[in-house]
Amino acid sequence: HAAARALCLTALVFHCCCCCCAQGKDAVAFLEGLVTGDIAGLANGTGSLSVFTNEKGGIIDDTVITKVSANDIYLVVNAGCREKDLEHIGKHLSAAKAKGMDATMTVHDDRGLLALQGPSAMPVLQKMTQHDLSKFYFGMFAKFDIKGVPCWVTRTGYTGEDGFELSIPNDGMNQIAEALVADPEVRLSGLGPRDSLRLEAGLCLYGNDLEQHITPIEAGLAWTVGKRRRERFDFLGGEVIKQQLADGVPIRRVGFISAGAPARQHSDITTPEGEVIGEVTSGAFSPCLKKNIAMGYVKKPYDKAGTEVKLVVRGKANDAVVTKMPFVKTTYYRG
């Protein structure tokens, strides 16, 4: 955790993500029927977080979608949701093709994903490629060689730090991973630090903070519904989300700083008087802040920053306060 904030952390995350490509002249139109984002409005070689929604507006999964070109879309979904996501996409793809749409989907089991995160990520990676990373900004995508291996590179990550996600052919994964960890600035990481880092950055974890019964509006992800998409809301669950944007929602995802033992998923959130008003979805001790942090969903009007609440841990109600996220300032590279 400390290495990612101060130096550079290499996280082997190829087991956590599934890489896909949608191609064809109708690929954008097809995907825009399933996600909230404005894919057509992306510049070539850029991407953004979006969400797949169901008919009730609930989140099936979150995804980073990149517009490689008008007819080539690259997306990364959670490996834990792989079977569900691919079945969902496949069902709608079959229906789209039956209507004459030109779109195909390729799942890249021939590639793995590796994340390089932290303040030293750019200088470390720059030594291994001729691509000028100083002009490669947050959210950008490009295909270039790293140590002679053809990679798909996105300047993004899941830690709140500057960094890169590298989609690498399986036969080149060991070569690049070994070259990175041989650098004295790099530390190898597992999933524990990744979780505490993303929590400090206020980033959601599917299965904890996002679920099929939670909408992007309730999750504080209204920004993923692109401005152009709000003209027609022509994606699954669009009418539900349109109504929520107009009328508001009864619950919201918020952050907390708390005393006592760290709150974990499913801990009750109560008023000081003991009324249950929500549930914690993620929680941990913050190595950077040296405090307990958490996020969860609460009823309105208890979602306002500064509201005093209790987080119940093993039967004990600990003091907590609703806190704006991110807990730790993000350092994405914007030039």
Side-chain angles (χ1 to χ4, degrees), residues 247-274:
D247 298 341
V249 290
I251 61 170
R252 289 295 299 270
R253 178 177 64 93
V254 296
F256 305 94
I257 289 178
S258 66
R264 305 295 184 184
Q265 187 181 21
H266 303 309
S267 294
D268 281 342
I269 304 165
T270 75
T271 64
E273 294 74 34

Side-chain angles (χ1 to χ4, degrees), residues 19-320:
C19 304
C20 310
C21 286
Q23 295 174 316
K25 68 180 180 63
D26 296 319
V28 169
F30 165 66
L31 284 175
E32 284 195 346
L34 304 181
V35 303
T36 59
D38 180 5
I39 305 172
L42 291 171
N44 288 353
T46 66
S48 181
L49 179 73
S50 191
V51 293
F52 287 97
T53 47
N54 58 31
E55 289 81 358
K56 295 181 179 181
I59 299 172
I60 294 174
D61 198 7
D62 54 328
T63 175
V64 175
I65 297 185
T66 298
K67 185 180 179 184
V68 182
S69 69
N71 300 328
D72 188 2
I73 309 301
Y74 169 59
L75 56 155
V76 177
V77 299
N78 289 299
C81 298
R82 173 190 169 112
E83 184 175 340
K84 173 184 68 175
D85 290 354
L86 295 183
E87 180 182 356
H88 174 73
I89 294 169
K91 178 180 73 173
H92 288 280
L93 182 59
S94 295
K97 286 183 174 181
K99 295 177 182 177
M101 293 186 79
D102 175 23
T104 62
M105 179 70 72
T106 303
V107 179
H108 283 284
D109 289 329
D110 57 332
R111 308 184 73 88
L113 195 66
L114 183 153
L116 180 69
Q117 302 283 292
S120 298
M122 181 163 67
V124 166
L125 192 62
Q126 189 66 79
K127 290 182 282 188
M128 302 180 189
T129 182
Q130 294 183 356
H131 194 88
D132 185 358
L133 300 180
S134 70
K135 296 182 173 124
F136 189 59
Y137 307 120
F138 177 70
M140 284 188 170
F141 170 91
K143 297 181 180 182
F144 54 83
D145 287 358
I146 299 173
K147 299 292 287 186
V149 177
C151 297
W152 303 346
V153 183
T154 310
R155 193 146 197 173
T156 188
Y158 193 46
T159 63
E161 295 291 332
D162 180 28
F164 306 86
E165 289 192 352
L166 317 177
S167 175
I168 306 167
N170 290 341
D171 59 7
M173 176 63 77
N174 284 349
Q175 178 184 343
I176 292 179
E178 288 170 0
L180 287 170
V181 297
D183 191 296
E185 292 286 296
V186 176
R187 302 290 184 272
L188 192 62
S189 169
L191 299 184
R194 188 197 70 155
D195 193 52
S196 57
L197 288 161
R198 69 91 190 168
L199 181 54
E200 287 183 341
L203 302 175
C204 296
L205 175 64
Y206 195 87
N208 282 46
D209 315 301
L210 305 177
E211 288 278 8
Q212 296 210 52
H213 64 278
I214 295 291
T215 72
I217 313 307
E218 293 167 335
L221 299 176
W223 61 269
T224 65
V225 185
K227 182 178 179 181
R228 180 179 64 83
R229 307 307 310 278
R230 298 185 187 206
E231 296 172 5
R232 299 177 63 183
F233 290 93
D234 52 349
F235 50 86
L236 286 176
E239 285 303 312
V240 174
I241 290 173
K242 178 181 179 180
Q243 199 67 42
Q244 288 187 342
L245 284 169
D247 298 341
V249 290
I251 61 170
R252 289 295 299 270
R253 178 177 64 93
V254 296
F256 305 94
I257 289 178
S258 66
R264 305 295 184 184
Q265 187 181 21
H266 303 309
S267 294
D268 281 342
I269 304 165
T270 75
T271 64
E273 294 74 34
E275 176 191 352
V276 177
I277 54 171
E279 183 177 277
V280 171
T281 54
S282 290
F285 176 76
S286 165
C288 288
L289 299 179
K290 310 300 183 189
K291 298 177 181 178
N292 299 328
I293 59 174
M295 66 172 75
Y297 288 83
V298 294
K299 300 175 184 177
K300 288 189 171 181
Y302 302 101
D303 59 327
K304 294 180 174 59
T307 301
E308 294 182 354
V309 297
K310 301 280 189 179
L311 304 187
V312 182
V313 181
R314 296 188 293 276
K316 183 176 180 180
N318 296 318
D319 292 339

